[in-house]
Amino acid sequence: MNTVKLTPSQTVGPFFSHALTWLDGPDVVAEDAPGAIWLRGRVFDGAGEPVPDALIESWQADPDGRFDHPDDPRGAVPGFRGYGRSATDDDGRWGIRTLLPGRVPGVDGRLQAPHVDLSVFARGLLDRVVTRVYFADQPSNSDDAVLSALPADRRSTLIAPRSADGYTFDIRLQGERETVFFSL
Amino acid sequence: MIIGYQRDPGGTHPPLASPGYGSTVLRAPTQEPVLLPHTLTEVTGPVLGEGRVLPTDHDLTRQHDGEPLGERIIVHGRVLDSDGRAVPDTLVELWQANSAGRYAHVRDQHPAPLDPNFTGVGRCLTDSTGRYRFVTIKPGAYPWRNHENAWRATHLHFSLFGRAFVQRLVTQMYFPGDPLFHQDPIYLAVPEAARSRMISSFDLSETVPEWALAFRFDIFLRGREQTPMEHQ
C-alpha cells in the first residue's frame, strides 16, 4: 500500500532538447570501445509520419549481464554507464552507441535473452512509454519469458534486425505494427 | 533476491489517450500495455550526476554575464519514495520558459522576447536527505495552438531518475492559484484527485527577505515492494 500519493506524470512537451540532450548522451560507450555497435531507429506516429520531437532513453546490462548499480545483488561492476539518451532529428531518427548486453536473470532466476529497456518521451505523450529491444541473431530469444508471453504477431516489433553498423529498432506509437509497450 | 517496486496505483497518471490534448491523438499507443515483471534491468537504473552538475547549474539566474529579467524565485523540496523515504544523490533536471513565456529553444516561435541572460535549464543532485533547491525566474504563461485561445498554465518542467528504471518520472510543477488551470488540457488530463500534487505551495519560511519568494514542491516516486520476490 502506498502511504503517500505519487506525483503524476506530465508530457515532456516540444521544447526539451536544449535541456535534456547531452553531447555524450548517445555514447553509452566511447567510439573506440571494442565491440561497439550502433542501435538506431526512427519513431513514427499513427499517420506513419516521423516524430521529430521525441527523446529516447536506454538502460541495459554490460556484456556480462551486470550493472554498475548498488542494487545488483551480485555486486556492482563499475565502469559501464548502461544509459543512453538521444533526441530524434527532423526525420524521427535516434541512435545510441553501445555494447551488446549480456543475459540478465529474470524473476524466476532463469536467464533472459539480451535486451535493452527503452523509454520514449514526446510531445503528446502524457507519460513515457516503455519498450524493450531484443536482438535478431540471439538464439536465446526463443526461450525468453517476456518475449514468449507476447502474441506471436506482435513479438516481432521488439526484435531489432542487424544493420551495417549494429541493429535497427523502429518505434511505431500507433498503427498496424504498433510497437509492444510495457507497463511497469 | 530481487525486490520489485510497487505498481502505480490507478488514478495517478494521465491516460495516454486524452483527446482534449490534441497531440495525443496520433501518438498515444492504442494497444493495452503488457505487464513487465521487475527484473534486475528494471530495478536498477542510471546513477548519474558526478561530473554532470556544475556549481552554477542549480542557479538559473547566474548562468550568464547579467541577471535575467523577471521575478526571482526559489524552488525547493524533497524527492521521496511512496513510503516517505528520501531519494538521495539523484539527478534533478529542470527546464522552463523565461519570464515573457518564451523558451530558449529553436522551435519556439512565440513572439515574446528571448532573454540573453536566461537559458532556463537547471540541474542539481539531491542531498543525503533527498533535498533539492533551485534559484530561478518565475516563467510567464504562453499561448499554444491546442484549441481556441489556449494558454498553458505557468509551469516548470522536472525530470527525475530516482535509483531505478521504474522510478523515472518527467512531470511539471505548477503555481498555486493559477487562473489558467481550468482550460489547460495537459493539467486537466491528470485524474482530478491527483492534480494538486503537481501544484507547489508558497513557502514563507524559505522566502528570503528583500530577495526572493520561495515555493515548495515535493516529488514522490514509487517505493519498493515490501515482500521480496523469490530469485535463485
Side-chain angles (χ1 to χ4, degrees):
Chain A
M1 285 297 292
N2 292 297
T3 52
V4 295
K5 306 293 188 182
L6 298 179
T7 305
S9 171
Q10 292 273 266
T11 179
V12 76
F15 305 133
F16 59 81
S17 61
H18 61 312
L20 300 187
T21 52
W22 303 331
L23 276 180
D24 66 347
D27 307 335
V28 181
V29 293
E31 193 171 355
D32 57 358
I37 54 167
W38 276 95
L39 180 58
R40 302 179 195 269
R42 299 179 72 189
V43 184
F44 298 98
D45 71 12
E49 294 296 320
V51 174
D53 50 7
L55 180 74
I56 308 295
E57 291 184 344
S58 66
W59 175 244
Q60 64 168 95
D62 72 10
D64 297 319
R66 302 289 289 267
F67 297 93
D68 183 1
H69 191 279
D71 291 347
D72 188 330
R74 304 160 297 178
V77 177
F80 183 68
R81 192 174 92 186
Y83 169 75
R85 93 192 318 191
S86 168
T88 54
D89 68 12
D90 290 346
D91 297 318
R93 294 181 197 281
W94 61 276
I96 59 163
R97 183 174 53 222
T98 187
L99 302 176
L100 198 66
R103 300 183 68 182
V104 174
V107 284
D108 57 0
R110 278 172 56 209
L111 289 175
Q112 305 179 77
H115 60 271
V116 174
D117 280 8
L118 293 187
S119 300
V120 183
F121 302 88
R123 169 177 63 85
L125 288 178
L126 283 160
D127 195 356
R128 68 168 169 169
V129 292
V130 169
T131 187
R132 261 191 178 190
V133 181
Y134 289 85
F135 300 89
D137 48 7
Q138 296 297 309
S140 52
N141 286 343
S142 58
D143 57 20
D144 181 85
V146 172
L147 270 185
S148 304
L150 299 173
D153 61 330
R154 300 200 66 210
R155 199 176 297 151
S156 63
T157 67
L158 301 190
I159 297 178
R162 288 240 34 151
S163 65
D165 59 1
Y167 294 85
T168 303
F169 190 78
D170 290 335
I171 297 164
R172 291 177 178 80
L173 295 172
Q174 288 182 357
E176 206 175 317
R177 296 198 62 234
E178 181 178 313
T179 301
V180 170
F181 297 105
F182 293 101
S183 71
L184 292 171
Chain B
M1 206 113 76
I2 299 171
I3 303 175
Y5 280 77
Q6 297 164 31
R7 301 273 168 180
D8 285 332
T12 300
H13 298 299
L16 291 170
S18 292
Y21 173 25
S23 294
T24 66
V25 173
L26 283 173
R27 293 186 169 188
T30 58
Q31 307 264 352
E32 270 299 298
V34 175
L35 196 71
L36 187 67
H38 294 173
T39 77
L40 267 182
T41 315
E42 288 72 40
V43 303
T44 56
V47 181
L48 301 164
E50 233 169 296
R52 299 235 167 246
V53 180
L54 301 172
T56 55
D57 281 355
H58 76 284
D59 187 340
L60 288 77
T61 69
R62 292 180 184 278
Q63 297 174 348
H64 297 274
D65 289 340
E67 284 201 84
L69 293 173
E71 181 186 346
R72 188 189 299 117
I73 57 172
I74 294 157
V75 176
H76 76 108
R78 293 181 75 193
V79 182
L80 301 157
D81 72 17
S82 50
D83 298 312
R85 278 191 286 260
V87 183
D89 308 317
T90 189
L91 181 64
V92 182
E93 297 171 302
L94 175 154
W95 73 104
Q96 62 169 100
N98 68 21
S99 61
R102 175 100 182 251
Y103 287 88
H105 187 284
V106 65
R107 287 203 187 104
D108 187 354
Q109 299 299 312
H110 175 41
L114 287 166
D115 184 337
N117 291 316
F118 193 70
T119 307
V121 174
R123 49 184 80 83
C124 71
L125 291 178
T126 59
D127 70 11
S128 60
T129 63
R131 286 184 197 285
Y132 73 89
R133 185 176 184 271
F134 290 104
V135 179
T136 186
I137 294 293
K138 191 167 184 186
Y142 58 85
W144 58 317
R145 292 176 182 161
N146 188 70
H147 57 274
E148 177 66 27
N149 205 9
W151 295 76
R152 284 306 320 282
T154 304
H155 61 276
L156 307 179
H157 296 268
F158 272 81
S159 153
L160 290 303
F161 286 85
R163 54 184 289 135
F165 181 78
V166 301
Q167 286 186 312
R168 184 88 174 92
L169 179 73
V170 170
T171 188
Q172 298 181 21
M173 183 203 99
Y174 296 93
F175 291 89
D178 194 317
L180 296 170
F181 285 145
H182 77 280
Q183 59 78 63
D184 184 338
I186 293 179
Y187 169 82
L188 294 173
V190 170
E192 190 170 1
R195 289 175 196 157
S196 63
R197 303 174 205 163
M198 302 184 292
I199 304 174
S200 58
S201 53
F202 169 63
D203 185 351
L204 186 61
S205 68
E206 287 296 314
T207 290
V208 177
E210 295 174 46
W211 196 70
L213 297 182
F215 292 86
R216 179 169 183 138
F217 183 51
D218 291 337
I219 299 163
F220 292 92
L221 309 176
R222 295 196 268 178
R224 298 202 87 135
E225 282 185 332
Q226 305 303 311
T227 316
M229 291 187 281
E230 279 304 315
H231 169 64
Q232 292 175 343

